[in-house]
Amino acid sequence: MEPHGRDDPKGPVLHIVVVGFHHKKGCQVEFSYPPLLPDEGHDSNLLPEEWRYLPFLALPDGAHNYQEDTVYFHLPPLSGDMKCVYGVSCYRQIEAKALKVRQADVTRETVQKSVCVLSRVPLYGLLQAKLQLITHAYFEEKDFSQISILKELYDHMNGSLRGSALEGSQVYLGLSPRDLILHFRHKVLILFKLILLEKKVLFYVSPVNRLVGALMTVLSLFPGMIEHGLVDSSHYRPKSSVSEDPSLAESAEEFVSVSVTDIGDTALDLEPAAESLSSGNSAEGDNHLLKPPSRTSPESSESDWETLDPSVLEEKEATEGKDTAADLTDAFESKPGTPITVQPQSGSGQGVVPGLVSGLEEDQYGLPLPLFTKGYLCLPYMALQQHHLLSDVTVRGFVAGATNILFRQQRHLSDAIVDVEEAAVHIQDPELRKILSLTTADLRFADYLVKHVTENRDDVFLDGTGWEGGDEWIRAQFTLYLHSLLSSALQEDNERLLADYGAPFVTAWKISHNYRVWYNNKHPAMAAITPGHPFQGQYSVADVKLRLSHSVQNSERGKKIGNAMMTTSRSVVQTGKVVGQSVGGALTSAKSAMSSWFSTMMSQDLTEELHETFFRF
């Protein structure tokens, strides 16, 4: 993220925009300050071509079903020197008869409008808190021609947010991992690993504020992702522009990710080789290793930041390998007798610097990982008009949110659909489900989080007040999890270390874009991280119970068992309450339900699952 100091003439807020619903024209921009187009007025409906979806993002689908709502959305940059534009929109509706000044174009019983902020900085919750107050005041005027309050909002935000550091609680305001863990429980870890694989993930729920809250909270579990990892997450072009440019279709082949079904059938060199990176042009000083980035949008099918000279990497390995091999071996040596403690890494003294390979601002561990780069999009909310992006050849993947049922119905366009309401992760590909299957160590980690989060739920005074089980504590645990995974991946003969994360998962992750970019850069601070899963260790009876509980609660067969047991329980209870009726019928019903439960338990598929569970121990 580019710093914006007090001497920077450009403030963090770009525009304040009002979007309304016109009975003939649909969603349209009614006011913008400063004007979205320099040569137009504040009341112009015209938009930059790159922002043609702005009205549909600010005024979401089905908004008329809710009195008010909040939307987070991302817009592509307007020029090469800009990054992702972060939008926050507050929607409200009011009865037309309540207006003091009713304009001629108001023909319906209700008036629907959104006030939105377009910002350079991803301070979603902070912008939302300020915007909600102003939106309320704007509607209380009951005269939408009174725009002075919107101009004051622009000046106030730029004055108060100018020079704000993207650190601390400001960034995570309104994003609660505690609520996420309470709702999704161990499935949060499945979502975490799913995004690491750069799959096409679609979140679905209504209203929009629940949708964007859940999606952005998941992303907040990735260290540094909200602060510095989303700057290239919205580099797409509108549908007409894409279709008119044949060069994009030709270059898009390099965006296609490797299918999980191809992993087992193809002999792949999993360790990222220097030869996989194309040669770069020479320049003065240290920059002779890199070609300066010319474009930062999907117009370029290969990352300019990744264009390294392979001979340079080979030379570095030859000269530095002897000096660092012994040090790394000592630093990563694991002592079997040493207990693994889950404590957050100290954040003191950690700064961010531009990553030479990723182009993102990174900390000393190389984080955030370059997930949302080179055609992997992050769209907290997608309008129906953006539906084509799901199948766009220039988009290699996405983490997106939608409220329209059409997105959910077309399952073939996504690798996973996350039903936020049901806390369910629907994955069609059985191979991908196998890859994302949680190991015993993963289940221990997830169970550890759930227990700490739910520990003080019964005490209204202690709930959420302590460090352990709090939002920052949960993020610290995921930071440790990712640090340990990265450290384990650096080790030689690391099969046993990585097995605790799931061998199929690690195999798929090592061919992902984010891992290859991270691996091809040096991160000396990783030497201080102990390799191995934070919850590695010998199996016990508790692990058997945990595995069985996980299988029963989350597999289709397990759900059948649970339903059969509930039916049996109800039948037995009803039998005891039967007076003057045939007890034999109730007993027969109970016997039938028990038989159904026993048959399900002894089904071939579940027997294989139980066998696999016990085989692990």
Side-chain angles (χ1 to χ4, degrees):
M1 179 64 57
E2 298 176 356
H4 300 285
R6 297 185 180 278
D7 297 331
D8 186 358
K10 296 181 180 180
V13 174
L14 297 171
H15 301 277
I16 302 294
V17 181
V18 175
V19 174
F21 182 82
H22 192 276
H23 66 285
K24 291 183 178 180
K25 301 177 182 179
C27 298
Q28 64 177 8
V29 171
E30 299 179 344
F31 170 84
S32 59
Y33 181 81
L36 295 176
L37 294 175
D39 298 332
E40 300 292 334
H42 298 311
D43 57 350
S44 173
N45 304 132
L46 300 179
L47 290 166
E49 177 64 19
E50 294 84 353
W51 292 357
R52 62 185 300 183
Y53 302 127
L54 170 59
F56 311 104
L57 295 170
L59 204 60
D61 295 332
H64 60 279
N65 295 320
Y66 302 94
Q67 196 65 28
E68 55 184 308
D69 204 354
T70 303
V71 187
Y72 300 161
F73 59 90
H74 293 167
L75 293 174
L78 295 180
S79 60
D81 60 341
M82 286 182 63
K83 299 295 184 181
C84 172
V85 176
Y86 308 95
V88 177
S89 173
C90 286
Y91 159 83
R92 291 195 68 178
Q93 60 176 325
I94 187 175
E95 292 185 357
K97 63 182 180 181
L99 295 176
K100 295 179 180 178
V101 178
R102 182 166 178 167
Q103 299 174 346
D105 58 352
V106 178
T107 60
R108 297 193 171 191
E109 295 182 356
T110 59
V111 178
Q112 303 165 11
K113 292 186 186 293
S114 289
V115 181
C116 57
V117 174
L118 304 183
S119 171
R120 304 172 189 269
V121 292
L123 298 173
Y124 304 97
L126 186 60
L127 293 174
Q128 175 185 344
K130 293 177 177 291
L131 188 58
Q132 282 179 331
L133 295 175
I134 298 302
T135 302
H136 178 76
Y138 182 54
F139 272 74
E140 284 299 310
E141 290 281 347
K142 297 182 174 58
D143 180 4
F144 294 119
S145 64
Q146 301 297 322
I147 58 175
S148 59
I149 189 174
L150 302 177
K151 295 180 179 180
E152 292 173 1
L153 173 64
Y154 174 82
D155 295 333
H156 167 73
M157 282 191 168
N158 275 322
S160 61
L161 299 179
R162 190 185 299 271
S164 298
L166 289 178
E167 306 292 343
S169 58
Q170 288 189 67
V171 178
Y172 301 120
L173 184 63
L175 305 179
S176 175
R178 289 190 80 250
D179 294 340
L180 190 74
I181 295 290
L182 287 170
H183 189 56
F184 281 92
R185 303 179 75 83
H186 73 281
K187 295 176 187 176
V188 172
L189 186 55
I190 295 178
L191 293 175
F192 188 84
K193 299 177 79 170
L194 185 63
I195 296 175
L196 276 178
L197 295 181
E198 298 174 352
K199 295 301 175 183
K200 297 179 179 180
V201 185
L202 181 71
F203 285 71
Y204 176 84
V205 77
S206 292
V208 183
N209 65 81
R210 288 190 61 193
L211 173 74
V212 297
L215 189 151
M216 297 308 299
T217 302
V218 172
L219 296 186
S220 74
L221 301 177
F222 292 84
M225 186 60 67
I226 302 293
E227 300 95 315
H228 308 291
L230 301 177
V231 293
D232 293 330
S233 65
S234 62
H235 284 58
Y236 64 85
R237 295 173 65 180
K239 184 176 182 180
S240 59
S241 300
V242 173
S243 60
E244 293 168 2
D245 190 351
S247 63
L248 288 176
E250 296 175 1
S251 64
E253 295 180 0
E254 301 190 30
F255 284 110
V256 180
S257 57
V258 178
S259 172
V260 293
T261 58
D262 298 333
I263 295 175
D265 302 330
T266 307
L268 297 174
D269 181 12
L270 299 180
E271 294 300 326
E275 287 76 13
S276 65
L277 301 173
S278 57
S279 301
N281 295 337
S282 61
E284 295 181 1
D286 293 338
N287 291 333
H288 76 283
L289 308 182
L290 297 166
K291 290 169 61 180
S294 56
R295 292 178 292 185
T296 57
S297 71
E299 297 174 17
S300 172
S301 62
E302 190 65 44
S303 171
D304 295 321
W305 284 108
E306 296 177 57
T307 313
L308 301 178
D309 187 346
S311 62
V312 173
L313 291 178
E314 294 172 0
E315 180 182 353
K316 278 189 172 183
E317 291 172 359
T319 56
E320 299 179 4
K322 295 181 180 179
D323 298 333
T324 60
D327 296 338
L328 288 176
T329 302
D330 294 339
F332 290 126
E333 184 178 0
S334 178
K335 299 179 180 179
T338 305
I340 302 297
T341 57
V342 182
Q343 294 295 333
Q345 297 294 321
S346 174
S348 60
Q350 295 185 15
V352 291
V353 295
L356 293 179
V357 180
S358 68
L360 304 176
E361 293 194 10
E362 302 174 348
D363 64 11
Q364 56 186 333
Y365 304 102
L367 302 177
L369 290 173
L371 283 163
F372 298 102
T373 58
K374 303 303 136 192
Y376 192 68
L377 304 181
C378 174
L379 303 173
Y381 172 70
M382 286 186 71
L384 186 59
Q385 289 75 8
Q386 294 176 298
H387 183 269
H388 68 280
L389 292 176
L390 299 185
S391 56
D392 196 313
V393 293
T394 64
V395 176
R396 63 185 179 90
F398 53 81
V399 177
T403 59
N404 196 299
I405 189 65
L406 294 178
F407 285 93
R408 183 179 180 180
Q409 289 176 342
Q410 297 188 327
R411 296 177 179 271
H412 64 285
L413 298 178
S414 304
D415 294 316
I417 296 180
V418 182
D419 189 327
V420 178
E421 180 70 32
E422 302 294 333
V425 183
H426 302 288
I427 301 174
Q428 295 296 316
D429 187 357
E431 190 68 23
L432 182 56
R433 287 201 300 267
K434 181 178 179 182
I435 287 174
L436 293 171
S437 177
L438 298 182
T439 65
T440 299
D442 281 343
L443 287 175
R444 291 173 183 167
F445 174 71
D447 189 58
Y448 178 76
L449 295 177
V450 172
K451 285 183 177 178
H452 276 74
V453 168
T454 58
E455 193 171 29
N456 295 323
R457 289 286 293 172
D458 295 334
D459 194 323
V460 67
F461 297 105
L462 296 179
D463 183 26
T465 60
W467 160 250
E468 290 194 0
D471 291 338
E472 292 301 321
W473 179 86
I474 295 172
R475 293 190 184 97
Q477 306 312 306
F478 276 94
T479 298
L480 178 61
Y481 182 93
L482 187 56
H483 281 174
S484 302
L485 173 60
L486 292 169
S487 177
S488 301
L490 292 176
Q491 307 307 302
E492 296 181 1
D493 301 324
N494 56 8
E495 288 79 8
R496 293 187 63 184
L497 290 175
L498 294 175
D500 284 325
Y501 295 95
F505 165 76
V506 173
T507 299
W509 177 55
K510 282 190 174 183
I511 59 177
S512 68
H513 171 81
N514 69 84
Y515 176 79
R516 290 185 292 114
V517 172
W518 180 87
Y519 184 85
N520 279 296
N521 200 5
K522 294 189 178 297
H523 311 290
M526 291 302 301
I529 304 297
T530 303
H533 199 292
F535 283 82
Q536 63 183 342
Q538 296 296 323
Y539 299 128
S540 64
V541 176
D543 294 321
V544 178
K545 295 180 180 178
L546 188 60
R547 171 67 60 181
L548 290 176
S549 174
H550 169 69
S551 300
V552 169
Q553 292 177 9
N554 299 282
S555 65
E556 289 299 323
R557 297 182 297 274
K559 292 178 181 178
K560 292 179 181 178
I561 295 174
N563 292 335
M565 293 180 66
M566 291 182 63
T567 303
T568 303
S569 177
R570 286 196 298 266
S571 299
V572 172
V573 171
Q574 290 173 0
T575 300
K577 294 181 178 180
V578 170
V579 179
Q581 299 180 9
S582 174
V583 179
L587 291 175
T588 302
S589 176
K591 181 180 179 180
S592 175
M594 183 65 72
S595 177
S596 172
W597 176 82
F598 184 79
S599 298
T600 308
M601 279 291 294
M602 298 306 294
S603 66
Q604 181 179 358
D605 292 339
L606 187 58
T607 302
E608 292 176 356
E609 184 172 330
L610 294 174
H611 179 269
E612 181 182 354
T613 299
F614 284 101
F615 181 75
R616 294 169 182 254
F617 305 98

